[in-house]
Amino acid sequence: MASEEELFANIDALLAEEPQLPPPAERARLREAAGITQARLAVALKTSTQTVKNYENGRSEPKPPRLEAYQRLLKGWAAKYPAHGTPAAPAPTAAPQPVTPETFTGPAAPEASDPQTLSTGPAAEAADMTAEQSAPQHPARPATSSRRPAAKKAAKPAVDPRFPHGPLAVLDGDGSAYGVDGLVLDCPATTVVELVEWTLRESGLGAPKLSRHGKDADPLIVLTATAAVKLGLPEHLEDRRGLRLPEDHPVIKQVLKARWQLTQRGFGPWARIYRKAQGRDRQCVQLAILPWDALDSRAWPGVSEMEPADVARVLGVYAQRVITPRGSTAVSGLELMTALRPPTRPVRDEETGNWVSGPNPGSLGTEAMDPAPPEGQPEHPAVFHSGWKGGFLHEEAFQWVRSVDTLTDEECTLPYAVGLDLNTAFLAAAARLVVGLSAPDHFHAPKFNPKIPGSWLVDLSHIELDPRLPSPFTPTGERPTGPAWYQTHTVAYAQELGYNVEPIEAYLRRETGAYLDPWHDRLKTAYVDTLADLGVTKDLSDAEFLAAMERHKDVDPAMAAVLSAIKATVKGGIGKLFENPQGKGYKDGDPWPAMQRPTWRPDIRAAVISKARVNMHRKLNNMAKMTGLYPLAVLSDCVVYPAPSASPLDFLPYAESGKPKPGAFRLGPTPGLAKLEGVQSMLWAVDLMEQGLNPARHIKGGDAVLDEGE
């Protein structure tokens, strides 16, 4: 039985844990009573204004020596400005103030409905230090500086009680884990194994599934350079080719010894650490290691150099609007397709009455599918071993430069070359796009049907179009020379132009569906909402739109990075549908990892690109009819026109009412509409064309001669 001394010692220990500061609300009251601003207090404490805000809303607590200074100030104010006009006195022992825990130790949501009210206690001093460093570098961080008015913002989704702290956190070397909406958690982990276990058991991180038949998103922990070193990881990967730790690295040994597993990718920039799921409960954590270039600067410009709280903001917005990142933006784009259209769903077995896994209508299924011979490539096993010699589908984006011989004197005397770029052209093409879901069937001399997705062998070489426009049937814009394989949209466009088409043979799919619809809808909403956060909204006039686009990247670098990542997700996701074999050791006819997944679908990629190229040509054709203008060059979703001024407002077609004419290029912030890509002199453009270079590639500026080899 415990002695009196032991009991009193335990009680003394509890008393020592009483809070040393008044509650957050009282701190704010005292400061306001003294007439001191948060900014002035921050200067006195040698910290940032955001840190003072954190003290006063309970997100973090100061550590010595700042703790003692803050405590002394608050005691002085309490003596001068007692609550309700009564003399300040110690709180009675019968009603002690609630203790602020030093660490968050459970996934349960706090009593307050807003996860931002969670206090992480004195251990969040690292957050203070980071805020001190970031405040001078990011003066535009107040919530009102880069966001739309509250009335225009969509309501926040309800917080899932299983994941009260959002989808991810960015961990620094001081043990502060920065989450979404300014949340800071205290992470005590000193090894990767401890980090994984803390994430799954205590962090409250994760995200609910995007489809009723899908799976919840695994929590993501992003490691800064200091956090990686603290956990025993090297600051830089020595294996730049394989991009993974060697199998004998101590961290990998620790992970395996603790009975955790790694995926076949090993421990690289995007490492997944997991155990086999128990029932519906997954045990998996995704790591992203910033010093190992987990965030490609082309997709995430400037993010790796941001402070941890800003990285959390960027990735958090992306996770909430698109998906919790699981790798590159290309990987995330592909994962989003599956998350929105899971391959299986629960179905009831009629014989046993039990629920079993069954196919989900409209999805791609669980097994990889061999392409039709013309839809694959020579090295694909199904094509290589069949001896196929019948040619291949070649649906790619435009790379066309107009012949200088077709330029008129009037065009050459125009002063400017103006580039227009279509917003996320591939995403616009994915809208309501019907694709094949089943295996291809072979047909000889079929009647063309524009509603059936597939590949058609057709001779379109007899179609002669204006040489001042690219041919819509080839990526180079050159006229076809004989029969070739085309995707349905390309053949349908030949019909739309008034020409007869007689397919020689075709590979068609009987089961079809708009597989990409939810993918398109989610990414379109993310794109439009993020542009709106940057001040580019649908209600702007064309002149206002051009002005807003000129400055949108400077409004908020964090949201500009999110926008860049969304665009990269679209492009990369479509590209992943037809991923080629990689590595010097590959031999033709051998299978490669990408082709063994259900989402390896070159026919779907061809359908998107075919529709995007047709959409582009239709606008080019309509522009010629409405304005008499012909392009100088086209590169994918960018077109360059000769122009009388540096503004597209002076050559785009408008009705007498001032509204843009439908069918041609139109300015605006939604997918498929256009924005200004760049302006150069007409002399500059003609000089490039004479060299065989594409002005659309260089219209933004720079020395085009340096890119001569492209």
Side-chain angles (χ1 to χ4, degrees):
M1 187 171 178
S3 67
E4 181 178 307
E5 290 183 359
E6 289 175 326
L7 292 173
F8 272 74
N10 291 341
I11 295 301
D12 289 341
L14 290 176
L15 290 172
E17 291 182 10
E18 286 185 359
Q20 298 175 313
L21 296 172
E26 176 65 5
R27 304 170 200 174
R29 185 196 72 79
L30 290 171
R31 177 186 52 76
E32 291 169 356
I36 302 298
T37 65
Q38 290 177 327
R40 187 175 173 189
L41 176 56
V43 172
L45 292 175
K46 292 189 176 180
T47 186
S48 68
T49 304
Q50 182 60 50
T51 299
V52 172
K53 290 180 180 179
N54 290 343
Y55 294 165
E56 294 184 358
N57 60 27
R59 290 184 192 167
S60 66
E61 298 287 323
K63 274 189 174 181
R66 191 174 289 115
L67 171 62
E68 290 78 9
Y70 192 34
Q71 181 186 36
R72 181 179 180 182
L73 176 65
L74 292 175
K75 283 182 177 179
W77 280 344
K80 288 184 178 181
Y81 313 106
H84 308 299
T86 59
T93 55
Q97 298 293 340
V99 177
T100 301
E102 267 197 39
T103 59
F104 175 69
T105 57
E111 290 184 8
S113 59
D114 186 351
Q116 294 186 29
T117 60
L118 176 69
S119 173
T120 57
E125 175 68 6
D128 305 347
M129 300 304 294
T130 301
E132 291 171 27
Q133 298 167 4
S134 64
Q137 301 170 10
H138 303 281
R141 287 189 58 188
T144 58
S145 66
S146 61
R147 302 186 181 182
R148 292 174 287 168
K152 293 185 179 180
K153 294 199 77 172
K156 276 190 177 182
V159 175
D160 190 308
R162 297 170 302 156
F163 313 115
H165 302 137
L168 56 87
V170 180
L171 183 65
D172 69 11
D174 295 325
S176 294
Y178 295 82
V180 299
D181 298 326
L183 180 72
V184 183
L185 301 173
D186 183 31
C187 175
T190 57
T191 67
V192 169
V193 171
E194 290 176 357
L195 175 61
V196 169
E197 292 174 350
W198 173 83
T199 302
L200 292 174
R201 296 174 186 173
E202 302 181 25
S203 71
L205 297 173
K209 57 192 177 185
L210 299 180
S211 164
R212 59 179 297 195
H213 303 310
K215 299 175 181 177
D216 294 332
D218 299 318
L220 168 65
I221 300 293
V222 182
L223 302 182
T224 63
T226 54
V229 172
K230 177 182 176 181
L231 296 173
L233 298 169
E235 189 169 348
H236 301 287
L237 274 181
E238 293 183 6
D239 182 4
R240 301 308 300 167
R241 182 180 294 275
L243 289 177
R244 62 178 67 192
L245 286 181
E247 294 182 2
D248 60 351
H249 192 277
V251 169
I252 293 184
K253 291 181 178 180
Q254 292 171 8
V255 169
L256 299 179
K257 185 178 180 181
R259 298 185 179 179
W260 291 97
Q261 300 180 53
L262 294 166
T263 62
Q264 292 183 349
R265 289 185 297 177
F267 204 118
W270 290 90
R272 292 184 68 78
I273 302 176
Y274 71 98
R275 284 179 181 153
K276 188 176 180 181
Q278 297 179 351
R280 294 184 178 181
D281 296 329
R282 289 168 59 82
Q283 299 183 85
C284 184
V285 174
Q286 176 80 62
L287 299 182
I289 305 171
L290 293 182
W292 296 2
D293 300 326
L295 299 180
D296 189 325
S297 60
R298 292 168 296 181
W300 303 94
V303 177
S304 293
E305 289 75 40
M306 290 181 180
E307 295 295 333
D310 293 321
V311 176
R313 180 185 171 215
V314 171
L315 296 181
V317 172
Y318 180 89
Q320 291 165 342
R321 294 182 179 178
V322 182
I323 191 173
T324 304
R326 289 189 55 177
S328 66
T329 47
V331 169
S332 297
L334 200 64
E335 291 288 341
L336 181 62
M337 294 181 195
T338 305
L340 294 168
R341 291 276 202 191
T344 61
R345 65 169 183 169
V347 295
R348 189 180 293 277
D349 188 317
E350 295 182 0
E351 295 183 1
T352 64
N354 296 329
W355 288 96
V356 297
S357 179
N360 186 21
S363 72
L364 295 183
T366 58
E367 300 294 330
M369 185 183 298
D370 283 340
E375 295 170 351
Q377 63 240 75
E379 57 266 39
H380 190 283
V383 179
F384 182 82
H385 297 297
S386 70
W388 172 260
K389 302 294 182 184
F392 294 93
L393 197 66
H394 189 51
E395 297 285 11
E396 299 294 342
F398 274 130
Q399 293 193 47
W400 171 80
V401 179
R402 182 173 157 191
S403 170
V404 226
D405 298 335
T406 64
L407 293 176
T408 65
D409 291 342
E410 184 182 359
E411 287 176 317
C412 290
T413 56
L414 290 172
Y416 293 99
V418 176
L420 296 176
D421 181 73
L422 295 181
N423 302 322
T424 56
F426 289 167
L427 184 62
R432 316 300 171 249
L433 176 68
V434 177
V435 300
L437 301 177
S438 57
D441 291 322
H442 191 200
F443 297 88
H444 290 280
K447 182 180 179 181
F448 178 68
N449 187 333
K451 295 183 179 180
I452 300 178
S455 301
W456 310 77
L457 181 62
V458 190
D459 189 352
L460 302 179
S461 61
H462 62 285
I463 299 178
E464 185 171 357
L465 300 174
D466 194 311
R468 293 172 292 179
L469 291 176
S471 167
F473 311 124
T474 64
T476 62
E478 298 176 355
R479 182 175 173 177
T481 56
W485 289 96
Y486 301 100
Q487 203 276 335
T488 298
H489 283 87
T490 305
V491 184
Y493 188 56
Q495 244 186 10
E496 181 184 323
L497 293 173
Y499 296 94
N500 184 41
V501 294
E502 296 181 357
I504 302 167
E505 59 180 308
Y507 285 89
L508 310 175
R509 288 170 166 80
R510 300 179 187 275
E511 185 181 341
T512 64
Y515 171 72
L516 293 175
D517 261 10
W519 185 81
H520 162 271
D521 294 347
R522 186 168 177 85
L523 284 169
K524 177 183 177 181
T525 301
Y527 180 81
V528 171
D529 286 352
T530 307
L531 261 182
D533 285 336
L534 293 167
V536 186
T537 56
K538 296 180 182 179
D539 57 351
L540 299 177
S541 68
D542 283 1
E544 292 170 335
F545 167 75
L546 290 174
M549 285 300 297
E550 190 172 351
R551 62 177 180 265
H552 79 284
K553 291 184 179 179
D554 300 323
V555 170
D556 185 342
M559 295 308 294
V562 175
L563 185 69
S564 172
I566 291 171
K567 292 190 288 187
T569 301
V570 173
K571 185 177 179 181
I574 296 299
K576 278 281 185 180
L577 293 169
F578 192 20
E579 193 173 0
N580 292 315
Q582 299 175 6
K584 291 184 177 180
Y586 176 77
K587 295 181 180 179
D588 289 353
D590 290 346
W592 63 93
M595 59 154 281
Q596 295 174 309
R597 62 173 185 244
T599 49
W600 190 84
R601 290 295 301 272
D603 58 301
I604 295 180
R605 176 184 177 273
V608 173
I609 296 178
S610 168
K611 186 179 174 184
R613 196 180 68 244
V614 164
N615 286 347
M616 171 64 85
H617 193 276
R618 189 180 290 113
K619 294 179 190 297
L620 296 172
N621 205 21
N622 288 336
M623 276 286 290
K625 293 176 182 177
M626 294 178 189
T627 67
L629 287 178
Y630 290 86
L632 301 176
V634 183
L635 180 69
S636 187
D637 49 9
C638 177
V639 55
V640 177
Y641 275 103
S645 78
S647 173
L649 298 175
D650 292 331
F651 68 85
L652 290 178
Y654 290 89
E656 291 183 3
S657 63
K659 293 185 178 180
K661 289 185 178 180
F665 293 102
R666 295 175 55 190
L667 299 174
T670 55
L673 298 187
K675 59 181 179 290
L676 180 63
E677 179 74 359
V679 180
Q680 299 290 340
S681 72
M682 184 64 179
L683 185 62
W684 170 91
V686 173
D687 184 50
L688 284 188
M689 294 165 68
E690 289 177 338
Q691 297 179 56
L693 300 175
N694 193 323
R697 185 182 299 277
H698 312 292
I699 193 68
K700 280 187 176 181
D703 189 351
V705 178
L706 296 177
D707 297 319
E708 205 166 348
E710 290 191 5

